[in-house]
Amino acid sequence: MMQESGPEAKSNGSAIQNGSSSGNHLLECGSLREGRSNGETPAVDVGAADLAHAQQQQALQVARQLLLQQQQQQQVSGLKSPKRNDKQPALQVPVSVAMMTPQVITPQQMQQILQQQVLSPQQLQVLLQQQQALMLQQQQLQEFYKKQQEQLQLQLLQQHAGKQPKEQQQVATQQLAFQQQLLQMQQLQQQHVLSLQRQGLLTIQPGQPALPLQPLAQGMIPTELQQLWKEVTSGHTAEETTGNNHSSLDLTTTCVSSSAPSKTSLIMNPHASTNGQLSVHTPKRESLSHEEHPHSHPLYGHGVCKWPGCEAVCEDFQSFLKHLNSEHALDDRSTAQCRVQMQVVQQLELQLAKDKERLQAMMTHLHVKSTEPKATPQPLNLVSSVTLSKSASEASPQSLPHTPTTPTAPITPVTQGPSVITTTSMHTVGPIRRRYSDKYNVPISSADIAQNQEFYKNAEVRPPFTYASLIRQAILESPEKQLTLNEIYNWFTRMFAYFRRNAATWKGAIRTNLSLHKCFIRVEDEFGSFWTVDDEEFKRGRHIQRGRPRKYCPDENFDELVAHNPSLIKNMQSSHAYCTPLNAALQASMADNSIPLYTTASMGNPALGNLASAIREELNGAMEHTNSNESGSSPGRSPLQALHPVHVKEEPLDPEEAEGPLSLVTTANHSPDFDHDRDYEDEPVNEDME
DNA sequence: ACATGACTAAACATAG
DNA sequence: GCTATGTTTAGTCATG
């Protein structure tokens, strides 16, 4: 937290110095927080500003009323009161005094003030005239300004932005000129008040803000508003660089001439120019929304004004606009609300920036290209480090010495060209070493490994796949979908640098997995044994159940199956998809009585491989029946061993296996359980019997 | 806390 | 006897 607040405070410090300047957006953004850093809470600002504004309004009203009363009195009873002459100048005084008092000044209070006044009637008369002139001028300006606002608003509503930029520009320029005039009026008023104060007419009460520092009338929020507006505009349109961000606020600021060289840009903010006020929304966005949806407004929806804390019901868009101009005009309250909203936005933006930074750091750390659109950069090696951290860290000290290319510091990925780890590969990655909520495996696509092939070939990073997935991949990648154990080994060492060490460990793991997973089917031929994979079974992800004897357990489907085709007793793999072709091919093969079924062509397809296995197993079974008492009925001892012995795992059926009619895994005459020539057809072993 | 899957290690068996 | 291959089990760890 301290680290996070540090730069922020720093920027605030810079903003203090540059807050009123028009140069640096970032620094200007910090100017909003300047108040906080100075201990000036927004709430305090709001209260003071509201108070001053209310006082100003009251003062103006009181002054007008008093002037009217004065005129009436002069007309009706010019000599009615002996103190009339005293009252005349006194009428001017409350204008200023009322600004300092929260209540409306009554004539009685005025009289008290008059009694306290120290100025001569002549002086008061001069002041009165000055005040009257100023007020008159200001009223005229305000009225004209209001008309300008309405006019511009109507124009903007009727015209789409960009249609008549010149007219808009003219209107905006006129508005700008009147804003300047208003500001000059303010300055004159402030000077007037100052003069009154110097002359002793005004006494600043303790605890009250210094009046000259406060805006005097509506639409008079000079530099502060400008800064706020700059913050908003610069925060959202930083790419617009210089100039534009000052435009809208120039309407109300004294910095127009000095800090807004690009006057044309202000017309691009219809909302600001329409209302002549500050908006918390991005001018660009708002103008776009106005252009695209003339009756849509970010502050208007479902017939309700969405100004923070307002929720006023506006029946139509026009009424909303009127409401917006009347209730949310450019005043202190709106400014304060805008400030709050800006703080909310800034907080969110700050949070977003931090998260972005965090993301960037993560991606940098993981060597992921920052151009990746996805925001979930979890490269494979990360998964490896996460899911295999324990295994890797354990295996490494024991059997795998650490190398510079540890999972946490892969070197190769970025430099390996096309095989850069991508986030997209993560979405299709197969069974990484983590547990899934569902029990089914998701096969690795060839692209998953191929995509990062070069990386794993060179980086001694443990692939984030299970042994089973890799074995399957190795088998499926082979042209004939079959591999000997040694070929599997070679594939591992060829494809993964990680598996070039500690052969005993991972080779043992491979062997264990081959035996353990139901999806791997061992097949023997005259040249030895090799392994195939049943992909459907792989997706099921089932293991040979441990701790239970691997004995065959028939189910109702089995009997039915046997009845239909006794030759399919053994080695019926679980895949439903394979059932029909397998059965047909088997029958055809049997009809042909062609023994050499076990060709590479047939094994090119796992289904055909299973078919061949089934056939050969059946033949083996037939031969075993003829040699039923042969104790060592392992494949090697089978008379047909040289031909096509098959070893297939078997295990008790579990409820899931009963789903498929052919989900029978059988035989393993190599299994010790069958070394005693157990004929499961004659002696079905029930799981419960174990 | 418990169940489960993945992994490791080890023991054992078998064949060459 | 050695090695390769294959099976099985126990234990650990991570995860849900």
Side-chain angles (χ1 to χ4, degrees), chain A residues 440 540 542 555 557 576 654-663:
Chain A
Y440 303 108
R540 292 181 182 178
R542 287 185 293 195
D555 61 2
N557 297 322
H576 294 221
D654 56 30
E656 288 190 10
E657 258 181 330
E659 299 170 0
L662 296 180
S663 60

Side-chain angles (χ1 to χ4, degrees), chain A residues 225-245:
Chain A
L225 250 183
Q226 185 187 23
Q227 290 178 9
L228 290 175
W229 184 255
K230 283 177 183 175
E231 290 162 6
V232 172
T233 54
S234 64
H236 290 286
T237 60
E239 72 280 359
E240 296 175 9
T241 63
T242 60
N244 292 0
N245 55 328

Side-chain angles (χ1 to χ4, degrees), chain A residues 132-178:
Chain A
Q132 282 179 332
L134 281 171
M135 289 174 59
L136 202 62
Q137 199 175 352
Q138 183 178 352
Q139 281 180 345
Q140 291 173 349
L141 282 170
Q142 284 180 335
E143 288 174 2
F144 195 88
Y145 176 57
K146 194 174 181 179
K147 288 179 181 177
Q148 285 290 323
Q149 282 185 345
E150 293 172 354
Q151 184 182 352
L152 184 61
Q153 175 183 337
L154 286 175
Q155 287 181 353
L156 289 170
L157 284 174
Q158 292 167 357
Q159 305 164 357
H160 288 288
K163 268 189 172 180
Q164 297 175 340
K166 284 188 176 180
E167 294 182 14
Q168 291 179 358
Q169 186 174 355
Q170 286 177 354
V171 174
T173 308
Q174 288 178 343
Q175 206 169 11
L176 180 67
F178 278 97

Side-chain angles (χ1 to χ4, degrees), chain A residues 510-582:
Chain A
I510 288 175
R511 290 195 304 271
T512 302
N513 274 269
L514 285 171
S515 296
L516 205 59
H517 286 269
K518 292 176 68 175
C519 59
F520 300 122
I521 304 139
R522 180 176 174 269
V523 183
E524 292 186 10
D525 63 0
E526 62 271 27
F527 305 110
S529 64
F530 50 86
W531 293 89
T532 61
V533 59
D534 180 354
D535 221 21
E536 293 298 317
E537 189 63 49
F538 174 82
K539 290 173 183 175
R540 292 181 182 178
R542 287 185 293 195
H543 290 181
I544 301 295
Q545 293 189 10
R546 296 188 297 184
R548 301 168 106 184
R550 298 184 167 192
K551 293 177 180 176
Y552 167 70
C553 178
D555 61 2
E556 58 277 13
N557 297 322
F558 172 76
D559 292 332
E560 183 181 354
L561 176 67
V562 171
H564 283 82
N565 192 345
S567 62
L568 287 178
I569 292 172
K570 302 172 186 178
N571 196 35
M572 288 306 202
Q573 296 304 308
S574 56
S575 171
H576 294 221
Y578 298 159
C579 297
T580 302
L582 191 151

Side-chain angles (χ1 to χ4, degrees), chain A residues 4-115:
Chain A
E4 292 174 351
S5 61
E8 197 175 342
K10 192 174 181 179
S11 66
N12 290 344
S14 302
I16 291 173
Q17 293 179 349
N18 301 279
S20 59
S21 70
S22 59
N24 193 320
H25 293 180
L26 295 175
L27 294 177
E28 287 165 6
C29 286
S31 64
L32 178 65
R33 295 183 291 271
E34 182 182 347
R36 277 182 177 176
S37 63
N38 293 339
E40 185 183 2
T41 63
V44 173
D45 284 349
V46 174
D50 284 339
L51 187 62
H53 181 240
Q55 291 169 359
Q56 295 151 18
Q57 298 294 332
Q58 289 173 0
L60 287 172
Q61 283 190 347
V62 168
R64 290 172 195 144
Q65 290 174 359
L66 290 176
L67 282 172
L68 283 174
Q69 289 176 5
Q70 178 193 5
Q71 291 171 359
Q72 290 172 359
Q73 286 174 359
Q74 285 176 351
Q75 291 173 358
V76 174
S77 57
L79 300 172
K80 198 174 184 178
S81 171
K83 293 182 180 178
R84 177 172 47 94
N85 290 337
D86 293 340
K87 281 184 179 176
Q88 255 187 346
L91 291 173
Q92 315 309 316
V93 179
V95 175
S96 300
V97 174
M99 292 179 180
M100 310 308 300
T101 55
Q103 305 89 6
V104 176
I105 297 179
T106 62
Q108 290 76 18
Q109 291 172 322
M110 298 282 298
Q111 208 142 12
Q112 293 175 359
I113 294 169
L114 281 174
Q115 290 169 1

Side-chain angles (χ1 to χ4, degrees), chain A residues 49 52-53 56 186 190 211-217 219-222 332:
Chain A
H53 181 240
Q56 295 151 18
Q186 295 167 28
Q190 291 179 5
L211 184 60
L213 301 179
Q214 295 295 326
L216 293 179
M220 302 174 187
I221 320 291
D332 291 335

